[in-house]
Amino acid sequence: MFISIDNVCFSYSNTKTAALDQFSMTIEKGEVISILGPSGSGKSTVLRLLAGLEKPEDGSFNIQETVIFNEKKFLQPEKRGIGMVFQDYALFPHMTVAENIMFGLFRFKKAAKQERLQEVLELVELEGFADRYPYQLSGGQQQRVAIARAIAPKPHLILLDEPFSNLDAELQGKIRKELRDILKKADITSVFVTHDENDAHAIADRIVKLKDGKIEVIGRPCDILNINRQAVVEAVALVEQRDMMSV
Amino acid sequence: MQRSLKNINVWTFSAVAIMALLFLPNLTIVGGIFTPTNDNWAHMKEHVLWSFVSTSLILVVATAVLTISIGLSLAWLIAQYQFPLRNFLKWALILPLSIPPFIGAYTYHGIVNYTGVIQTTLRDRFGMEVNPSHFDIMNLPGAIFIYTIFLYPYVYTITRIFLSQQSASLIETSRVLGKGPWGTFFRVVVPISRVSIIGGASLVVLEVLNDYGVVKYYGIQTFTTAIFQTWFGLGDIETSIKLAASLMGFVILVLMIEKLLRGRRQYSYSTTKVRPLPLIQLTGWKAAGATGFGLVIMSLGFFIPVIQLIDWTILTFGTIPMAEFMSYVRNSVTVAGIAATVIIAFALIVGNFGRLVHGKMAKLLPRLSILGYSIPGAVIAVAVVTAFIGLDRSLAPLYQALGFDTTLVLSVSLIMLISAYIIRFFAIGYNSIESGYDKIGTNFRDASRLLGMGITKTFFKVDVPMLKGAIISGFIIVFIDILKEIPLTLILRPFNFDTLSTKVFQYASDEKIMEASQASLLIIGISALSIIVFYKFIEKEPK
Ligand SMILES: Nc1ncnc2c1ncn2[C@@H]1O[C@H](COP(=O)(O)OP(=O)(O)OP(=O)(O)O)[C@@H](O)[C@H]1O
Ligand SMILES: [Mg+2]
């Protein structure tokens, strides 16, 4: 088992209800996990907790043998080795594409830095764009830079918050496939948030469905699809029953 | 983990220390309320305190009413109508803000007094010997005129920017529902812009309560002048602390009234894209009236005094040795530069603390220091001197050990003056920096930390470069405010240390009005330039 998350509970300081309630799951190395759920269900909260941007009230989180947090310990975000792609990408506007990508490579030697830069640029197919500033890129290119920046330091885990929401429908389809290829090629474990079933089914190895801060279901896309189908069948049956009664 | 925790603690510690430094001196004022009273205070309370209160009330209320009338009507004219010179007036109407009321006060006195341009023209050209008392401006109505004509831009700018962000449909709905222009003005425009009107007016009121130059020069007794009089005239610092505390009470009352009037309602559509108001073309006498009104106000508030000052400068140019003049410029720039730099650095630290730490204290502390700007300079002067003398007293053994032959070291140094500036103007710098932090949000910081950078490295590599605009504009506003400042500089400067503004004050007080003009023009020039640059910058900014 690569990553284990146990019983994580959390509520925002100015609220009473739990934003996340007893969240537990395990993730294998190289797996692509999708968190699916309606707005306000706590999807972003999961990512913020894993990244270290919020402090959990309870629970633990380990990557391999390393404790990321438990009752006693809380590792600051910069010490976790977790990458994140923000919904609005958060590319530093005062740095070029190359500078953005190399921002997290400060521990690398100079030559290794350049090498890694070329590597990830190639991976996201943006070789000619190193010296551009973020505002000189299209939305899809910006997103690929954000992904490149997040994976450049070779994190154990990469988190993506609604990676497709800022893109138009056509681009979404294209990038969806690209993203899966990039993640699989780099053999990176990843968790991404979406509220679009199609995204989840197209990319994820497994899907976590959230509702009101609780896990509703975890499983492979095909299994979840079946659950849905069953629900539909049951619903149709119910309606038919009611129609029969009213007749 | 250890290191990062330590980082957060360093930020917390610095922020709390800064806030304490900014806030604690003012507590001496609160402490002063509880010291036993003496004869001076008893005498004052019995005979003159009420007259300070009523004079200040008259000044405040009259100025507020007049600045609102002028500021709001100009804002509405510019926001809704097209008339000749509108685009010029739109920004030119801000310019009176670049003339410190005190400079305006002595300039107008110079224009209308016996040897001034109006009376001499009447005498020489028309042979009219007029009653000089008709031209006396050095009284309460005169002071109200000065405050109004140089401070109305606060109401005008804030309201105009607000109105320009309002949706056309709001106004048009009112028109469609059958309200004429006047009905629309009073039933729609005034209510929706209430918050900005009150915001602008309360800035005006705070400026009036803070003012020392105008009332001192015109010989009007207010809290501010009384504080300095009991302090220097009577050498009675206890009574001046008590007066300062009463003035603070007055200011707190103003702030409470502001809060009450503002209410909870915030009408604002400023974040969404709205269709701006289409301008209505005025014609005939209406257009002439609008242009005329704008020109009269702008001439009274800018052109007339500036032309007079230019005239005086030409007449007296060379009487002040250039080297001496340049030394005032250097002094002004040095103290304003140092204070503004420290303020911005402090604001960056406190602002970052506000984002790092969640919780009540992190939100409350900066709020408290913002109060600093509403505390009048006279009160801060009393507080800072009291604090520094206390500090010197407790450091006396150290001075002795170091072999100084005096016990007053800090309280006669520039450090005291600069500290007072920092306390008084911190809020202005902080506002700019805080809105900068708000604009960039926390995502960039989080992204940087997730890429392995600690809080402090993130601050220098990500936050500071991204805050460049806020840092520059914050620095400029603070710098100019310090350049124009009078009471603190006058009282807290070291012996023989003169700045442009203290020199203007001295010349004017010695009835050397003409000699004061050169330094005045320089202050006005620098302020006007940065005001124009600044508002062009705000206008351009995509909302
Ligand atoms: N900073 C905050 N302070 C207080 N409550 C918050 C905060 N952020 C989120 N919440 C609340 O926590 C719950 C979960 O929010 P979260 O952002 O995780 O939802 P989400 O599933 O990402 O929704 P969306 O799809 O709209 O992004 C919501 O009820 C939300 O209102
Ligand atoms: Mg979300």
Side-chain angles (χ1 to χ4, degrees):
Chain A
M1 178 177 37
F2 183 59
I3 290 172
S4 66
I5 304 163
D6 280 308
N7 254 328
V8 175
C9 298
F10 176 76
S11 49
Y12 286 98
S13 58
N14 46 355
T15 56
K16 286 193 194 87
T17 52
L20 206 62
D21 193 17
Q22 306 201 334
F23 186 93
S24 305
M25 75 178 298
T26 59
I27 304 171
E28 297 303 330
K29 188 158 170 48
E31 242 190 326
V32 178
I33 303 286
S34 166
I35 300 183
L36 194 63
S39 181
S41 56
K43 306 182 295 291
S44 300
T45 307
V46 174
L47 294 199
R48 295 184 63 80
L49 280 162
L50 297 184
L53 303 174
E54 305 288 349
K55 264 190 179 170
E57 280 151 21
D58 199 8
S60 66
F61 171 27
N62 299 296
I63 299 182
Q64 283 171 316
E65 260 68 71
T66 317
V67 178
I68 304 292
F69 66 72
N70 58 22
E71 313 82 71
K72 293 193 215 77
K73 190 174 166 184
F74 181 83
L75 212 54
Q76 290 294 330
E78 61 266 28
K79 306 285 172 195
R80 293 190 174 192
I82 293 179
M84 183 154 172
V85 178
F86 288 79
Q87 194 168 344
D88 57 359
Y89 313 140
L91 295 176
F92 304 126
H94 58 295
M95 298 182 193
T96 60
V97 168
E99 285 166 341
N100 261 290
I101 293 176
M102 290 194 292
F103 189 85
L105 302 181
F106 53 91
R107 288 197 189 87
F108 285 47
K109 293 241 171 53
K110 204 167 176 212
K113 237 188 220 179
Q114 280 301 330
E115 198 180 314
R116 182 68 183 150
L117 171 66
Q118 291 312 322
E119 234 172 76
V120 292
L121 279 177
E122 211 170 295
L123 192 69
V124 297
E125 295 174 5
L126 283 176
E127 285 99 330
F129 294 82
D131 294 325
R132 296 234 196 151
Y133 282 91
Y135 71 90
Q136 297 167 318
L137 300 174
S138 73
Q141 290 166 338
Q142 287 182 12
Q143 194 212 23
R144 280 181 281 161
V145 175
I147 295 171
R149 183 177 72 177
I151 60 183
K154 302 188 176 160
H156 307 294
L157 172 68
I158 168 169
L159 312 169
L160 304 100
D161 196 350
E162 310 233 7
F164 312 113
S165 60
N166 279 350
L167 308 174
D168 61 49
E170 198 179 326
L171 207 52
Q172 266 185 22
K174 186 166 166 285
I175 293 230
R176 200 149 64 189
K177 189 172 168 318
E178 274 179 18
L179 179 66
R180 183 167 171 91
D181 290 347
I182 292 170
L183 293 174
K184 284 296 171 190
K185 232 191 277 178
D187 192 26
I188 291 179
T189 317
S190 57
V191 175
F192 80 97
V193 156
T194 179
H195 55 246
D196 184 341
E197 300 245 354
N198 296 328
D199 284 346
H201 290 284
I203 307 183
D205 296 320
R206 275 192 301 150
I207 295 177
V208 180
K209 275 201 163 185
L210 271 188
K211 199 181 172 199
D212 298 333
K214 289 191 186 72
I215 296 183
E216 221 177 18
V217 78
I218 302 186
R220 291 180 301 163
C222 49
D223 301 338
I224 292 200
L225 214 60
N226 286 342
I227 291 173
N228 279 352
R229 229 174 253 153
Q230 201 166 347
V232 171
V233 172
E234 277 168 16
V236 169
L238 265 172
V239 172
E240 279 173 358
Q241 214 171 355
R242 198 193 57 198
D243 287 350
M244 301 237 299
M245 304 227 310
S246 65
V247 167
Chain B
M1 180 198 183
Q2 284 304 323
R3 239 179 67 90
S4 300
L5 255 185
K6 198 177 68 198
N7 272 340
I8 292 183
N9 287 340
V10 168
W11 282 96
T12 308
F13 177 79
S14 328
V16 173
I18 289 169
M19 306 306 298
L21 280 178
L22 292 177
F23 196 66
L24 287 183
N26 295 314
L27 283 186
T28 53
I29 301 293
V30 181
I33 304 174
F34 303 109
T35 56
T37 56
N38 60 20
D39 289 348
N40 281 334
W41 174 248
H43 176 84
M44 279 210 169
K45 217 165 108 186
E46 186 143 340
H47 300 284
V48 288
L49 191 62
W50 175 241
S51 90
F52 300 156
V53 173
S54 57
T55 309
S56 296
L57 262 179
I58 293 171
L59 279 175
V60 160
V61 172
T63 310
V65 169
L66 287 171
T67 48
I68 289 176
S69 317
I70 293 176
L72 178 61
S73 52
L74 285 172
W76 175 235
L77 273 176
I78 299 278
Q80 164 100 79
Y81 297 100
Q82 181 62 266
F83 48 88
L85 292 180
R86 172 189 172 271
N87 291 341
F88 162 74
L89 286 170
K90 180 177 159 184
W91 63 266
L93 282 168
I94 309 172
L95 286 177
L97 211 52
S98 64
I99 303 185
F102 161 67
I103 291 178
Y106 88 76
T107 309
Y108 266 107
H109 172 61
I111 291 174
V112 300
N113 71 7
Y114 187 74
T115 54
V117 59
I118 292 182
Q119 291 200 42
T120 42
T121 309
L122 287 176
R123 268 199 310 273
D124 299 351
R125 285 274 174 82
F126 304 102
M128 279 160 52
E129 203 50 60
V130 291
N131 182 352
S133 70
H134 289 165
F135 287 89
D136 186 16
I137 194 176
M138 298 177 81
N139 47 34
L140 209 55
I144 294 170
F145 165 75
I146 294 293
Y147 289 140
T148 304
I149 208 69
F150 295 110
L151 296 177
Y152 81 84
Y154 281 120
V155 180
Y156 163 72
T157 346
I158 296 179
T159 316
R160 187 182 67 71
I161 290 177
F162 173 81
L163 284 174
S164 71
Q165 291 166 345
Q166 295 312 297
S167 168
S169 53
L170 254 178
I171 311 293
E172 283 165 359
T173 310
S174 155
R175 284 298 181 76
V176 172
L177 290 174
K179 289 264 180 295
W182 290 106
T184 305
F185 181 76
F186 286 107
R187 304 293 289 275
V188 178
V189 176
V190 174
I192 61 170
S193 23
R194 192 182 62 179
V195 171
S196 31
I197 295 169
I198 291 166
S202 60
L203 282 178
V204 171
V205 167
L206 291 175
E207 288 282 334
V208 171
L209 286 177
N210 175 54
D211 175 69
Y212 173 68
V214 176
V215 282
K216 173 78 177 131
Y217 188 68
Y218 280 8
I220 298 166
Q221 277 283 7
T222 62
F223 272 115
T224 338
T225 54
I227 289 171
F228 292 139
Q229 237 163 44
T230 44
W231 187 355
F232 296 116
L234 305 174
D236 180 357
I237 200 156
E238 278 165 20
T239 302
S240 63
I241 289 180
K242 283 198 177 0
L243 278 171
S246 319
L247 176 53
M248 250 338 272
F250 206 90
V251 167
I252 290 171
L253 199 71
V254 170
L255 293 178
M256 272 160 45
I257 293 174
E258 187 207 347
K259 201 142 178 76
L260 207 73
L261 288 178
R262 240 180 228 257
R264 293 237 174 118
R265 279 176 286 177
Q266 290 274 11
Y267 311 99
S268 178
Y269 303 92
S270 52
T271 49
T272 49
K273 282 209 173 62
V274 291
R275 190 163 44 96
L277 288 174
L279 296 178
I280 299 171
Q281 183 75 48
L282 289 180
T283 51
W285 66 267
K286 281 186 182 166
T291 310
F293 180 45
L295 281 181
V296 166
I297 297 293
M298 121 123 261
S299 306
L300 286 174
F302 192 73
F303 281 136
I304 292 174
V306 166
I307 289 169
Q308 178 66 79
L309 286 170
I310 292 175
D311 179 42
W312 285 338
T313 303
I314 294 170
L315 280 175
T316 57
F317 196 75
T319 53
I320 307 166
M322 212 42 185
E324 196 188 317
F325 185 72
M326 287 317 287
S327 81
Y328 308 146
V329 176
R330 236 187 345 265
N331 286 346
S332 281
V333 171
T334 311
V335 284
I338 294 175
T341 308
V342 176
I343 285 175
I344 296 300
F346 279 9
L348 283 168
I349 294 172
V350 175
N352 201 29
F353 163 75
R355 306 195 303 165
L356 286 173
V357 183
H358 304 285
K360 288 221 171 72
M361 191 173 80
K363 301 281 170 288
L364 187 71
L365 275 181
R367 293 284 134 233
L368 274 181
S369 76
I370 299 269
L371 270 181
Y373 189 64
S374 29
I375 303 175
V379 179
I380 290 178
V382 175
V384 168
V385 167
T386 319
F388 268 75
I389 288 177
L391 204 62
D392 265 344
R393 220 172 263 152
S394 50
L395 288 180
L398 178 73
Y399 298 153
Q400 258 172 357
L402 290 173
F404 292 165
D405 50 5
T406 163
T407 52
L408 295 178
V409 176
L410 288 176
S411 54
V412 294
S413 71
L414 262 186
I415 297 178
M416 184 163 75
L417 175 61
I418 290 174
S419 313
Y421 284 150
I422 294 172
I423 292 173
R424 166 118 175 94
F425 295 110
F426 174 78
I428 298 194
Y430 183 77
N431 269 339
S432 173
I433 298 295
E434 194 193 30
S435 65
Y437 273 125
D438 278 353
K439 219 173 277 168
I440 63 175
T442 52
N443 272 1
F444 295 103
R445 180 198 69 193
D446 292 344
S448 162
R449 294 190 67 193
L450 285 164
L451 290 164
M453 291 284 179
I455 292 170
T456 308
K457 269 195 182 153
T458 298
F459 175 73
F460 286 109
K461 292 200 130 181
V462 175
D463 293 331
V464 171
M466 291 189 69
L467 286 169
K468 215 163 64 191
I471 291 174
I472 292 171
S473 59
F475 184 90
I476 290 176
I477 317 179
V478 173
F479 186 89
I480 290 169
D481 262 342
I482 295 178
L483 210 62
K484 299 191 292 194
E485 208 282 337
I486 293 257
L488 287 178
T489 322
L490 220 46
I491 291 151
L492 302 179
R493 69 196 163 133
F495 187 65
N496 262 347
F497 181 88
D498 272 303
T499 65
L500 285 173
S501 59
T502 61
K503 220 48 210 177
V504 169
F505 186 84
Q506 269 168 8
Y507 280 132
S509 305
D510 298 347
E511 288 298 324
K512 290 184 186 166
I513 293 182
M514 293 191 184
E515 281 81 351
S517 58
Q518 193 179 335
S520 304
L521 267 186
L522 190 63
I523 295 177
I524 295 170
I526 297 174
S527 313
L529 205 67
S530 27
I531 285 176
I532 293 171
V533 170
F534 192 68
Y535 282 99
K536 292 260 157 171
F537 181 71
I538 286 187
E539 291 271 298
K540 269 215 201 100
E541 234 175 350
K543 278 280 164 183

